[in-house]
Amino acid sequence: MTDSTRRRGLMAASALLGSVLLLSGCSGSNANADGNQDSSQAKVDEAAAQKTSEAQIAITPKDGSDNASINNSGIVKVTKGTLSGVTVTTADGADVKGELSADKTSWQPTAQLERSTTYKVAAEAKDSEGRVAHENASFSTVSPSNSFIGSFTPENGSTVGVGMPVSINFDKAISNQAAVQKGIAVTTSSGQEVACHWFNANRMDCRPQNYWAENSTVTLKLALDGVEGAKGVFGVQQKTVTFHIGRNQVTYVDAQTKQMKITQDGKTIRTIPISAGSPDNKTYEGIMVMSEKYKETRMNGATVGFTDDDGKGEYDIKDVPHAIRLTNSGTFVHGNYWGAKSIFGSVNTSHGCVGLSDTKGANDPNTPGSWFFTHSILGDVVVVQNTGDKTVAPDNGLNGWNMSWAQWKAGSAA
């Protein structure tokens, strides 16, 4: 054997041995000095675990969600750590302002999110060792076509009369009325029982059996976020509203005597001569609640069906003073400057309203119209009697008091 041949043989043997050793090394086990077998993969896992943050970040809603709540979305929480950075942005890059909790374990938007908007969340947290964890998510909020809201009366923080019901008008027809009503609570500091009544698929009013107790506080809670009011249509409101009940003022209008008696706590404080609806245009009878007040307003007969042969209104007065609405169909108590002073207390001449003596411009505080306007608040009650007309419909304005308590409760979906 030549030297070159022997060298080639040794090199081949060396290569073979190296291959054996290489395969042995990839098998994942080798003996240490104590003879124990250790896993190289276990050591890698152990090392990785030592470098990974223990902080666990949770984002609500989960990544990829659609039809997300506009009240309870974009919320970030962490366990086993504290938040070191949270950014929430819209798809076009606008930042959403938020608030970090005192212990830095949660973050939430400070304002309600917009509907039909995609948001991106990026969150960072650190554990006790300062190791950083990251989490990202994207979600889209519910669209207007897939959501409903309720416009309510009265306004938050207002003071109203004893007859003011809670009236909620929904912008979508509600077919699942029981679920929606369950998400609405009306309570009063007086302890009166409150029941709700559905007039139709879009309107629900709530009231006690008798007028609200004076000087009480009423609370309306809307917990409708995520409530399915109709198939594929979800609520988005989550809020609490409170309003105060003022003094107990009830006014009695007698179309026969043509006098109006204003009472507080059952005692008459003033009597005012009036002119109600004429025999051809009688005023509705029944219990009516003041829903709007205008120092001056326009009244056009064409808007309520009083027209001449040419289609124009039988009247069109652009500056009616001291007008207080009683029905949606156009019944008001208002000042009248165009009629002779002699009609008040002696003859009914109106198209269905209750008129009081007043002056043009609504600037004379000494007129009956001005006095009544000044001494009335929304929610005060006006009881109209002896007109010879039918009782006003309970849903024509805020006039559900014209239903018995049994009838009222029968309209509940609860």
Side-chain angles (χ1 to χ4, degrees), residues 217-233:
T217 298
V218 181
T219 300
L220 163 66
K221 290 186 177 181
L222 299 171
L224 297 175
D225 189 78
V227 175
E228 191 170 21
K231 186 176 181 180
V233 180

Side-chain angles (χ1 to χ4, degrees), residues 10-89:
L10 289 172
M11 290 174 62
S14 176
L16 179 59
L17 179 59
S19 297
V20 173
L21 292 174
L22 180 61
L23 289 170
S24 178
C26 286
S27 70
S29 64
N30 66 308
N32 59 20
D34 298 325
N36 295 325
Q37 298 293 316
D38 291 327
S39 169
S40 296
Q41 186 63 47
K43 289 183 177 181
V44 172
D45 293 342
E46 182 181 357
Q50 291 175 349
K51 295 178 181 178
T52 300
S53 175
E54 292 184 350
Q56 301 292 320
I57 302 172
I59 298 174
T60 302
K62 65 181 181 179
D63 186 36
S65 296
D66 57 11
N67 283 329
S69 165
I70 61 175
N71 299 291
N72 300 310
S73 293
I75 298 174
V76 182
K77 295 183 178 181
V78 64
T79 56
K80 298 182 181 180
T82 56
L83 292 169
S84 51
V86 176
T87 59
V88 178
T89 56

Side-chain angles (χ1 to χ4, degrees), residues 41-318:
Q41 186 63 47
K43 289 183 177 181
V44 172
D45 293 342
E46 182 181 357
Q50 291 175 349
K51 295 178 181 178
T52 300
S53 175
E54 292 184 350
Q56 301 292 320
I57 302 172
I59 298 174
T60 302
K62 65 181 181 179
D63 186 36
S65 296
D66 57 11
N67 283 329
S69 165
I70 61 175
N71 299 291
N72 300 310
S73 293
I75 298 174
V76 182
K77 295 183 178 181
V78 64
T79 56
K80 298 182 181 180
T82 56
L83 292 169
S84 51
V86 176
T87 59
V88 178
T89 56
T90 60
D92 59 7
D95 288 328
V96 174
K97 294 181 179 179
E99 183 178 34
L100 185 66
S101 64
D103 61 3
K104 298 183 179 181
T105 61
S106 66
W107 184 99
Q108 63 182 20
T110 52
Q112 191 179 64
L113 301 181
E114 298 294 330
R115 289 189 281 182
S116 288
T117 303
T118 298
Y119 292 90
K120 294 183 178 181
V121 183
E124 177 186 285
K126 293 180 180 179
D127 64 10
S128 59
E129 300 296 325
R131 293 171 296 194
V132 178
H134 294 272
E135 193 71 45
N136 294 274
S138 177
F139 63 89
S140 298
T141 51
V142 64
S143 68
S145 61
N146 292 107
S147 61
F148 70 89
I149 61 172
S151 301
F152 54 84
T153 297
E155 295 181 2
N156 185 38
S158 60
T159 297
V160 296
V162 296
M164 177 63 78
V166 172
S167 184
I168 306 173
N169 286 273
F170 299 100
D171 64 348
K172 303 280 197 312
I174 304 299
S175 57
N176 193 358
Q177 295 177 348
V180 171
Q181 186 172 331
K182 185 178 179 180
I184 298 173
V186 181
T187 57
T188 173
S189 62
S190 66
Q192 291 171 279
E193 177 189 357
V194 180
C196 298
H197 180 95
W198 289 86
F199 285 114
N200 52 52
N202 293 84
R203 177 180 171 185
M204 185 184 79
D205 286 14
C206 306
R207 68 167 177 88
Q209 180 174 3
N210 301 309
Y211 301 141
W212 302 104
E214 61 181 288
N215 298 319
S216 60
T217 298
V218 181
T219 300
L220 163 66
K221 290 186 177 181
L222 299 171
L224 297 175
D225 189 78
V227 175
E228 191 170 21
K231 186 176 181 180
V233 180
F234 299 88
V236 296
Q237 288 169 297
Q238 183 172 293
K239 65 191 308 177
T240 298
V241 174
T242 61
F243 59 94
H244 184 71
I245 305 300
R247 75 285 179 274
N248 183 328
Q249 179 166 306
V250 179
T251 295
Y252 296 89
V253 173
D254 190 327
Q256 187 172 351
T257 64
K258 303 168 187 64
Q259 300 290 319
M260 185 171 79
K261 182 175 65 175
I262 301 93
T263 70
Q264 287 189 2
D265 300 323
K267 298 179 180 179
T268 301
I269 62 171
R270 182 165 179 174
T271 300
I272 297 175
I274 59 96
S275 179
S278 69
D280 293 332
N281 303 294
K282 299 181 179 71
T283 305
Y284 286 128
E285 292 190 358
I287 303 169
M288 306 183 207
V289 175
M290 298 180 185
S291 59
E292 293 178 313
K293 291 177 63 181
Y294 305 99
K295 185 177 179 182
E296 289 183 282
T297 192
R298 177 185 180 184
M299 290 187 178
N300 185 339
T303 64
V304 290
F306 293 111
T307 57
D308 292 324
D309 293 338
D310 59 4
K312 295 183 179 180
E314 292 182 12
Y315 58 89
D316 188 1
I317 305 170
K318 297 179 174 61

